[in-house]
Amino acid sequence: MIEVSGVTHVYGEGTQARTVLQDVDVQLPERRVAVVGANGSGKSTFARLVNGLVLPTRGTVTVDGLDTRKDGRAVRRTVGFCFTNPDAQIVMPTVREDIAFGLRRRRDLSKAEVAARVDEVLRRFELADHADHPAHLLSGGQKQLLALASVLVTEPSVLVLDEPTTLLDLRNTHRVAGFVQSLDQQVVLVTHDLDLVDSFDRVLVFDEGRLVHDGRPSEAVAHYRALMR
Amino acid sequence: MSSLGLYRPGTSLAHRLPAGLKLLVLLAAGVGSVFVDRPWQVAAALVVVGLGYVVAGLSLGVLLRQARPLAWVLLLVGAFHVVVNGWERAVVVTGVILVLVLLAGLVTLTSRTSDLVDALVRVLGPLRRFGVDPARIGLLLALGIRSVFVVAQFAQEVRDAQRARGLTASPRAYAVPLIIRSLRHADELGEALVARGADD
Ligand SMILES: Nc1ncnc2c1ncn2[C@@H]1O[C@H](COP(=O)(O)OP(=O)(O)O)[C@@H](O)[C@H]1O
Ligand SMILES: [Mg+2]
């Protein structure tokens, strides 16, 4: 469970200071949570708070009882993070190597076990035919699937995705959305694609750093549309 | 750009040799190049490296593409040496650079980056006692290789965008967006590395 308690976040200091999240209080036990809001409303900052990439200026964030401030590494092992731009998060030259990257420090797994897990993920994400290809030769959709595969191979219990389909065409958006739907993990999805949130348990609407609505998809989307008018 | 020096799966002798050994050969060639001072020695080395490509089952086209990014450098260095030290020295110096680049290309074309990184990490193991983290250096190597391709892709996109807007080739109009994109990429990459547990 994700618990965000009394969180205010400020970027910069002094005259540069900018409050981008204000008094956010929310507990998220649901399996499917979506986050929507205008550009600059604080969605990415909220997403980054969940895995400790950003530490709150005030308040606390915990995941399964782990405090992002005190147990940052443990939190990041629990929470996988998928960025908008897959090119920025693919760190190894080839597909297979990038998937194996997250397992490189796993002393509890033998070389064969690591290879088996990587192969399984390659198949599941339909990347087996490209296993030894350079990552930069993949299509945009394949790159995003690779990014997803590389995060999921470490078996996080929560997956946070920050606009994973914003750079994709409709077909690849459906593919990525399909994979996200099939996950056993708890999912926190930041998105501008309101079609994707239909099946979600809960939708958070942010506006200028405040959580202005929190509920079922239909009401939340209606609220969001009214806001944008 | 796509065919530049990245692993091509294969089963040839060149592929099967341990990555560490290949790195060692490359290192030895680098050290040995200091003692080369006759054009025939350079020619012999070129033949040997060329044979390496044949053994690895790589085409002449692939070999040429390894050298192509260097064409301007070789031309400049060669011209400089022809003027200052005469043609023999020019042949030796440009030839040595060419041989080393082709050899490095052969090593990376026939080895998985992860195998090269593992080999490097093993070789650097003893440095741990001086506070060096071999795994970190290995990661840097892999990131460096990956980043070459990402920046090459940016370069292509910036060039395309300029053509689309009908801009003629101005070095500044080219360099500025390229540098900005590369810096932003470095920022995002840093964040992604933390998210993916690189600091564990
Ligand atoms: N690292 C940062 N430093 C300073 N300001 C930032 C930083 N990251 C985001 N911001 C600012 O915070 C505000 C909220 O950003 P963000 O959380 O990315 O919103 P969203 O994802 O909803 O577009 C924006 O105005 C943005 O410019
Ligand atoms: Mg954002």
Side-chain angles (χ1 to χ4, degrees):
Chain A
M1 165 139 104
I2 300 165
E3 294 189 76
V4 177
S5 315
V7 164
T8 291
H9 191 73
V10 183
Y11 284 118
E13 280 172 16
T15 53
Q16 304 280 321
R18 223 186 131 192
T19 304
V20 296
L21 283 180
Q22 183 94 50
D23 303 319
V24 178
D25 253 306
V26 71
Q27 300 192 344
L28 305 170
E30 290 86 358
R31 270 188 71 234
R32 294 288 182 264
V33 179
V35 177
V36 300
N39 290 330
S41 58
K43 304 180 299 295
S44 293
T45 304
F46 181 80
R48 282 162 169 74
L49 281 168
V50 174
N51 79 334
L53 275 179
V54 168
L55 297 174
T57 311
R58 276 198 300 280
T60 58
V61 177
T62 64
V63 180
D64 296 343
L66 296 165
D67 187 324
T68 59
R69 196 186 302 281
K70 296 186 202 114
D71 319 300
R73 282 181 186 174
V75 168
R76 279 188 287 280
R77 272 195 288 271
T78 310
V79 183
F81 199 101
C82 192
F83 296 83
T84 308
N85 178 7
D87 266 321
Q89 61 188 313
I90 298 171
V91 299
M92 296 299 273
T94 68
V95 172
R96 185 194 301 279
E97 288 165 344
D98 194 67
I99 294 178
F101 177 81
L103 300 177
R104 78 202 183 291
R105 296 266 166 102
R106 290 287 297 267
R107 301 234 161 68
D108 55 320
L109 297 174
S110 72
K111 261 200 154 162
E113 283 168 325
V114 167
R117 261 222 222 177
V118 171
D119 279 334
E120 183 210 315
V121 169
L122 278 167
R123 268 197 306 278
R124 180 157 152 225
F125 286 86
E126 293 162 21
L127 290 166
D129 291 344
H130 308 284
D132 288 308
H133 288 193
H136 65 271
L137 294 184
L138 298 180
S139 71
Q142 287 170 330
K143 281 184 188 171
Q144 194 55 283
L145 288 179
L146 170 58
L148 211 53
S150 294
V151 171
L152 289 172
V153 75
T154 65
E155 301 185 332
S157 51
V158 180
L159 183 66
V160 179
L161 305 106
D162 189 0
E163 298 189 35
T165 60
T166 298
L167 301 177
L168 303 182
D169 62 22
L170 204 55
R171 196 165 155 268
N172 282 303
T173 295
H174 288 318
R175 271 185 92 192
V176 168
F179 276 109
V180 169
Q181 222 118 60
S182 73
L183 299 175
D184 301 326
Q185 275 83 0
Q186 181 181 23
V187 169
V188 177
L189 171 72
V190 177
T191 186
H192 286 296
D193 190 336
L194 299 180
D195 294 337
L196 296 187
V197 311
D198 269 351
S199 61
F200 274 56
D201 302 318
R202 185 168 173 187
V203 180
L204 310 181
V205 184
F206 280 89
D207 186 39
E208 296 184 353
R210 287 176 189 276
L211 178 57
V212 293
H213 191 91
D214 174 2
R216 307 223 129 249
S218 51
E219 314 143 27
V221 167
H223 190 102
Y224 177 53
R225 283 194 206 281
L227 261 181
M228 293 300 104
R229 203 157 298 132
Chain B
M1 132 204 159
S2 59
S3 49
L4 204 103
L6 207 54
Y7 179 62
R8 306 205 154 187
T11 53
S12 75
L13 176 67
H15 285 86
R16 291 193 316 264
L17 286 178
L21 183 64
K22 285 186 266 191
L23 276 181
L24 220 61
V25 169
L26 186 57
L27 184 68
V31 173
S33 70
V34 178
F35 303 102
V36 172
D37 58 1
R38 295 262 180 288
W40 71 262
Q41 296 169 321
V42 173
L46 258 179
V47 169
V48 171
V49 174
L51 280 178
Y53 276 75
V54 173
V55 169
L58 298 166
S59 69
L60 183 66
V62 172
L63 182 146
L64 290 179
R65 270 185 300 245
Q66 305 308 305
R68 198 169 52 192
L70 226 71
W72 284 105
V73 177
L74 290 180
L75 215 68
L76 281 176
V77 170
F80 170 80
H81 279 285
V82 167
V83 172
V84 178
N85 299 317
W87 73 269
E88 228 186 68
R89 189 74 200 137
V91 169
V92 169
V93 173
T94 53
V96 161
I97 298 175
L98 185 63
V99 166
L100 288 177
V101 167
L102 289 179
L103 190 61
L106 184 58
V107 170
T108 53
L109 282 163
T110 58
S111 320
R112 285 210 166 97
T113 310
S114 47
D115 291 342
L116 288 175
V117 168
D118 286 350
L120 186 74
V121 169
R122 265 199 310 279
V123 171
L124 295 177
L127 293 182
R128 206 169 276 140
R129 131 175 39 137
F130 303 109
V132 175
D133 180 355
R136 198 147 276 245
I137 293 176
L139 176 61
L140 278 179
L141 174 71
L143 281 176
I145 294 173
R146 159 101 182 121
S147 297
V148 167
F149 295 101
V150 172
V151 173
Q153 186 185 318
F154 290 167
Q156 185 72 46
E157 286 165 7
V158 168
R159 216 161 21 223
D160 289 348
Q162 282 182 343
R163 280 213 197 97
R165 289 187 295 162
L167 295 179
T168 43
S170 136
R172 206 175 67 174
Y174 177 65
V176 171
L178 183 60
I179 291 170
I180 289 173
R181 289 195 62 172
S182 302
L183 288 177
R184 188 181 319 140
H185 173 72
D187 243 15
E188 292 176 350
L189 185 65
E191 199 178 32
L193 279 167
V194 175
R196 293 190 60 186
D199 61 343
D200 273 7

